[in-house]
Amino acid sequence: MAVQVGLIGFGLSGSVFHAPLIHWTEGLKLAAVVSSQQDKVHESYPDAKVYQDVESMLQDNDIRIVVISSPNLTHYDYAARALEAGKHVVVEKPFTNSSEEAERLIALAREKNLLLTVYHNRRWDNDFLTITRLLESGVLGSISYYEAHFDRFRPQVTRRWREQDLPGSGMLYDLGSHLIDQALTLFGKPNTVWADLRKERKGGKANDYFHLVLGYSNLRVVLHAGSLVREQGPRFILHGDRGSFIKHGFDPQEAQLRKGLGPGGEDWGRDAEDQFGKLTTDIGGLPFTGTIETVLGSYEMFYRKLADAVSQGGQAPVPAEDACDVIRIIELAMKSHSLGRVVTLDNR
């Protein structure tokens, strides 16, 4: 019998990134949604219950997993209440607004013997999966430089909560959490953090630009995002002592989900050929320069792994401890910007 899932929030995150993937995952059933938009929910999921408040859904004994895709300010409260109600919990990134809140949730989940995970879906971006495979192959040698961008051209400030002066708002929490999680997944925790945060758009109330440098012993990781980037450069740049890899373009899965497409389609997670990354290295002692076909993206793996973890007792798709480390780096970045200097990881 499928595990019943309750979803809190049916905005962009809930309706595009969570509900479709839950619906398409064998072993899971989207059984309930907390939303004021009952008609919108039932248009896509006619069999799902629609609750007007969180507490009513938490009292539904059939719901075993609760997915929190509401604004960042609510993540800690809703996650704590769901765990207290005996539910396994998925929290949309960023996990929480502080590492202290994250640590409390992790302790509560352990106490209740419940699964707690965070939706860092971009671990399954096609470009990131390609980079992971390249690093595992050793074709680039020892990496000395890694640069990742999440740039946009959005010159107008909107009234969305992510762009207001609120805890957990701003680009560092929003897009920065993706880039930081990817970097930590590849390289582990850094020794140092340096950050420059800005409000580069007129009328901006939250940071809409960041430039982070994570320091490792023999590696520098540069993570960057801006809101006024009309002509975009590479998405990823990697240099090692055997070669380089440069990749343009974005994984297509978000755009595909917005169009109602999903896993199983012929082009799901597939890069256009002109977006393939350029590899420069040597093979068998001979110089090589050419494009590398991008690995297929697979956002569906998060919920497949979640279904297995709940039904078979496996590991969470993204350990909550990993997501807590992301929040710690965000806190250190804000501290670095405030002090105007490099800070160390144990200097919190």
Side-chain angles (χ1 to χ4, degrees), residues 273-289:
E273 189 172 343
D274 62 1
Q275 299 294 317
F276 292 173
K278 180 181 178 182
L279 173 65
T280 303
T281 185
D282 61 79
I283 298 177
L286 297 174
F288 170 85
T289 298

Side-chain angles (χ1 to χ4, degrees), residues 187-246:
F187 305 114
K189 290 184 246 185
N191 301 318
T192 61
V193 177
W194 178 88
D196 178 32
L197 310 178
R198 293 174 56 200
K199 301 171 187 173
E200 66 175 358
R201 294 177 298 173
K202 183 178 180 180
K205 297 180 180 179
N207 64 75
D208 53 14
Y209 166 104
F210 65 78
H211 189 86
L212 273 59
V213 179
L214 308 184
Y216 298 78
S217 57
N218 295 308
L219 166 70
R220 289 297 177 269
V221 168
V222 175
L223 309 177
H224 182 95
S227 299
L228 299 177
V229 184
R230 193 159 195 164
E231 180 67 28
Q232 297 195 6
R235 173 111 159 91
F236 288 100
I237 301 172
L238 286 83
H239 299 303
D241 59 9
R242 286 192 57 198
S244 299
F245 180 71
I246 298 176

Side-chain angles (χ1 to χ4, degrees), residues 115-118 123-124 302 305-306 309 313-321:
L115 184 146
L116 173 64
T117 187
V118 180
R123 291 188 179 193
W124 291 274
F302 179 91
K305 289 176 178 289
L306 177 67
Q315 187 179 21
V318 176
E321 291 80 1

Side-chain angles (χ1 to χ4, degrees), residues 48-204:
K49 301 175 187 174
V50 178
Y51 290 105
Q52 298 300 309
D53 61 89
V54 171
E55 197 57 42
S56 296
M57 190 180 75
L58 294 181
Q59 292 175 6
D60 187 335
N61 294 326
D62 293 330
I63 301 296
R64 294 184 59 196
I65 301 173
V66 168
V67 178
I68 299 166
S69 64
S70 48
N72 298 353
L73 276 170
T74 66
H75 285 188
Y76 173 77
D77 179 48
Y78 289 169
R81 289 161 64 182
L83 290 168
E84 290 286 3
K87 316 293 187 185
H88 302 294
V89 173
V90 177
V91 184
E92 174 60 70
K93 66 80 208 165
F95 185 11
T96 53
N97 290 340
S98 72
S99 58
E100 182 182 355
E101 289 180 339
E103 289 164 357
R104 289 204 296 264
L105 290 178
I106 291 169
L108 180 58
R110 287 175 181 161
E111 176 189 330
K112 300 290 185 180
N113 195 29
L114 293 166
L115 184 146
L116 173 64
T117 187
V118 180
Y119 191 66
H120 278 293
N121 61 307
R122 294 194 179 273
R123 291 188 179 193
W124 291 274
D125 271 357
N126 60 13
D127 44 20
F128 182 70
L129 292 173
T130 303
I131 288 168
T132 301
R133 188 169 297 181
L134 280 174
L135 294 183
E136 289 172 349
S137 75
V139 70
L140 299 178
S142 178
I143 303 300
S144 63
Y145 184 81
Y146 169 98
E147 182 174 339
H149 283 249
F150 212 137
D151 294 318
R152 293 171 167 175
F153 185 66
R154 296 185 178 176
Q156 303 302 321
V157 177
T158 72
R159 304 183 76 174
R160 297 165 63 234
W161 62 263
R162 285 186 176 86
E163 300 192 35
Q164 303 306 307
D165 184 15
L166 298 168
S169 294
M171 192 174 280
L172 180 61
Y173 271 94
D174 185 22
L175 304 183
S177 62
H178 285 311
L179 298 185
I180 293 168
D181 178 69
Q182 289 178 333
L184 298 188
T185 299
L186 292 176
F187 305 114
K189 290 184 246 185
N191 301 318
T192 61
V193 177
W194 178 88
D196 178 32
L197 310 178
R198 293 174 56 200
K199 301 171 187 173
E200 66 175 358
R201 294 177 298 173
K202 183 178 180 180

Side-chain angles (χ1 to χ4, degrees), residues 15 20 30 72 97 347:
S15 65
L30 183 61
N72 298 353
N97 290 340
N347 184 15

